[in-house]
Amino acid sequence: MIQDARGFSLFHRLGLVFAGLCFALTLLPRPAHAVLVNNLYKDSVAVATRDRDERLDAFKQALAQVLVKMTGDGQVSAQPNVANLLDTATRYVQQYVYQEAPGGQGYNLTITFDGKALTRDLVDLGLPVWPAERPATLLWLGVENQGQRSIVSGSSSSTAAQAAQQAAQARGVPILLPLMDLQDKAQVSYSDIAGGFYDDVLKASQRYKADDVLVARVQNQAGGWVGRWHLSINGRTDDWQDSGATLQAVVQDGINQLSDRLAARMASSGTTDQASALEVSVKGIDTLSQYVKVRDYLKQVGLITLVRAVIVKPDEVVYLVRSRGTPKDLERVLLLGDTLQKAPTPAPESFAPAMPSPTPSANNAPGTQPAAPAAQQAPMQPVILHFMLQ
C-alpha cells in the first residue's frame, strides 16, 4: 500500500519508541459513555449439594443465562440451534467455585465460561452477539404506592432499586440511577415523570453523560402494579407499558424490555466467514499519546479481532481492522465512547482510465473507425470508516 512519504518517515522514526511503549503501557480507562460489562461470561446458581449430576445441571442453567447476556435475547434458549450448546455446556466451562450459602443451606456455584469460544459458536450459528461495550442508560424511576411518591436514587436500597439493578445485571445492561441531590430535585420532580414532561428530564440528564435515558412511572393500582416507560435514544423515542402482581415484577419486566430494544439496535449477527477487513481512518492524531490512545481503544472493542496501523500521515492515521460484525455494527459501537466522533466522508476520487491507442486489426480495414475499447471499471475500493479524535 502506498504511504505518504512524510508520514512514513515519522512512523519509522518513532518505531522504536512505539515498541517500548507497547511493552510498558496498560489499557486506557473506558470511555465515559460506553461501559465495559464485567462478568459477562460468569453466572451463579444455587445448588443443594456438590453432586456431579446437580453440578452438570447448574452448568446448563448458568450457560443459558450467559447466552441471554451475550445475545440480548431473553428467549435465546428456546431456539432449536442453541440446544446443542446447552447440552454440551461442560466444554465451555473454564472455572467453577462452590461457596456456602448464607445459613449453611446448600451452596452458590459460580461458573465462568469461555467467552471467545461461545462468541465463535454463536456467530457460526448466525445468532446475534452483543459486544461487551454497551451503552449506559440513565433510569429515572418514579414510584407511587398508597399516596407516597418518590424518585429512586442511586443510593437507594429500596425494593424498586434492587429490582432494577438485579434485572440489569442478569441482562448485562449497564444502568445508572440519578443522585437526586439538590441539583436533580430542583430540575425533576415526580410530577414531571408522571406528567410526561420528558424535555425537562432530558435536560437534567445531561450532567450524567449517559447514552440513553429511560423514564418510568410505576404505580400501585387496584391491588396490582402498572408501569409506563419512555426510552429516548439519540432523539428517537419508544414507549411501552407493563403490569404485574408486584413492584419487583413490573420493574424487572421494564428492564428486560429495555434490554430487548438495546440489543436489537446494538447486536450483530453473521457467520465467521463474514468477518472482514476494513479500514478505520482517524483524523486529529498529532502526538504519540493520541496514536496509542486510539489504537488501544480499538483493541478493546469486542467486535474487533485485529488492529494494525497501515498509513501514518500528518494529522491522520489509517488502521486496518478485522471485525466480526458489519461496518455499520462497528461504527455504532465506536461512536458509543467519547474517543471518536464521526467525520464527513471524503468525496470519492474520480477514475479516468487512459484510452488505449487504436491498433490495426483484421476488423479495422484502412479508412474505417477502430473498434471501441472495452469499458473499464473503477478499481474496487476498501470499506473505510471515517472518524475524528474527540
Side-chain angles (χ1 to χ4, degrees):
M1 182 176 291
I2 299 175
Q3 298 182 342
D4 181 270
R6 181 179 171 189
F8 182 83
S9 176
L10 170 65
F11 190 75
H12 179 72
R13 290 198 305 270
L14 294 177
L16 293 177
V17 180
F18 286 173
L21 284 174
C22 288
F23 180 78
L25 283 172
T26 57
L27 293 177
L28 298 174
R30 293 302 304 164
H33 299 295
V35 175
L36 182 63
V37 178
N38 295 318
N39 300 324
L40 186 60
Y41 312 115
K42 179 185 293 187
D43 198 66
S44 296
V45 177
V47 294
T49 69
R50 291 175 176 252
D51 291 347
R52 180 178 181 276
D53 289 344
E54 190 173 10
R55 181 169 63 249
L56 295 180
D57 287 341
F59 286 170
K60 189 173 181 178
Q61 293 178 46
L63 180 57
Q65 188 57 46
V66 166
L67 294 180
V68 169
K69 292 190 287 186
M70 292 182 65
T71 64
D73 182 359
Q75 305 299 320
V76 64
S77 297
Q79 298 195 30
N81 52 0
V82 176
N84 185 56
L85 268 67
L86 296 176
D87 290 340
T88 58
T90 303
R91 67 190 177 104
Y92 297 106
V93 174
Q94 287 186 326
Q95 183 183 35
Y96 63 90
V97 178
Y98 284 95
Q99 291 182 317
E100 283 194 12
Q105 299 296 318
Y107 305 89
N108 289 323
L109 178 57
T110 301
I111 306 107
T112 303
F113 296 96
D114 185 343
K116 289 185 177 179
L118 283 172
T119 299
R120 181 190 63 240
D121 290 348
L122 286 172
V123 170
D124 285 345
L125 291 173
L127 293 173
V129 178
W130 195 357
E133 299 83 6
R134 302 185 177 185
T137 299
L138 177 63
L139 171 61
W140 295 88
L141 177 56
V143 178
E144 180 177 351
N145 184 21
Q146 297 180 350
Q148 299 294 319
R149 300 175 175 181
S150 63
I151 299 177
V152 178
S153 71
S155 60
S156 172
S157 58
S158 66
T159 299
Q162 292 182 20
Q165 296 289 2
Q166 289 170 2
Q169 183 177 1
R171 295 299 297 265
V173 177
I175 64 170
L176 308 170
L177 291 168
L179 296 173
M180 292 314 298
D181 54 9
L182 292 177
Q183 182 176 340
D184 284 341
K185 290 179 179 178
Q187 292 183 286
V188 179
S189 67
Y190 180 86
S191 297
D192 293 322
I193 293 176
F197 298 106
Y198 300 126
D199 289 343
D200 293 338
V201 179
L202 291 177
K203 184 177 180 181
S205 302
Q206 293 176 0
R207 66 184 293 205
Y208 294 99
K209 295 182 171 59
D211 299 284
D212 313 319
V213 178
L214 179 61
V215 184
R217 177 193 185 187
V218 181
Q219 295 175 283
N220 189 340
Q221 293 183 353
W225 290 83
V226 176
R228 294 176 176 84
W229 305 79
H230 176 87
L231 177 62
S232 177
I233 304 176
N234 296 327
R236 293 175 296 175
T237 62
D238 193 1
D239 296 88
W240 68 91
Q241 296 186 21
D242 61 353
S243 60
T246 65
L247 172 62
Q248 297 98 313
V250 172
V251 171
Q252 289 175 353
D253 181 71
I255 299 300
N256 286 337
Q257 294 203 43
L258 166 69
S259 176
D260 291 340
R261 285 160 170 79
L262 293 179
R265 183 170 64 100
M266 295 301 305
S268 62
S269 62
T271 64
T272 304
D273 292 338
Q274 289 176 316
S276 59
L278 65 155
E279 293 181 352
V280 174
S281 168
V282 182
K283 292 189 176 181
I285 299 180
D286 299 311
T287 66
L288 177 60
S289 62
Q290 291 174 333
Y291 166 85
V292 173
K293 177 181 179 180
V294 173
R295 183 203 61 189
D296 285 354
Y297 176 57
L298 294 175
K299 284 185 175 181
Q300 293 178 82
V301 173
L303 287 178
I304 292 178
T305 61
L306 170 72
V307 177
R308 186 171 71 244
V310 291
I311 300 179
V312 180
K313 302 177 182 178
D315 190 50
E316 180 185 10
V317 176
V318 178
Y319 299 87
L320 175 68
V321 304
R322 185 171 290 277
S323 172
R324 281 192 288 259
T326 67
K328 286 189 176 295
D329 293 332
L330 180 59
E331 183 178 67
R332 270 199 313 261
V333 172
L334 292 180
L335 291 175
L336 280 176
D338 61 359
T339 299
L340 302 176
Q341 61 183 344
K342 192 171 177 61
T345 302
E349 297 181 2
S350 59
F351 177 73
M355 298 296 291
S357 300
T359 55
S361 68
N363 295 327
N364 295 132
T368 63
Q369 293 294 326
Q376 288 186 265
Q377 295 182 342
M380 183 70 68
Q381 297 296 320
V383 176
I384 305 177
L385 301 180
H386 296 273
F387 299 93
M388 293 181 63
L389 184 64
Q390 291 195 32

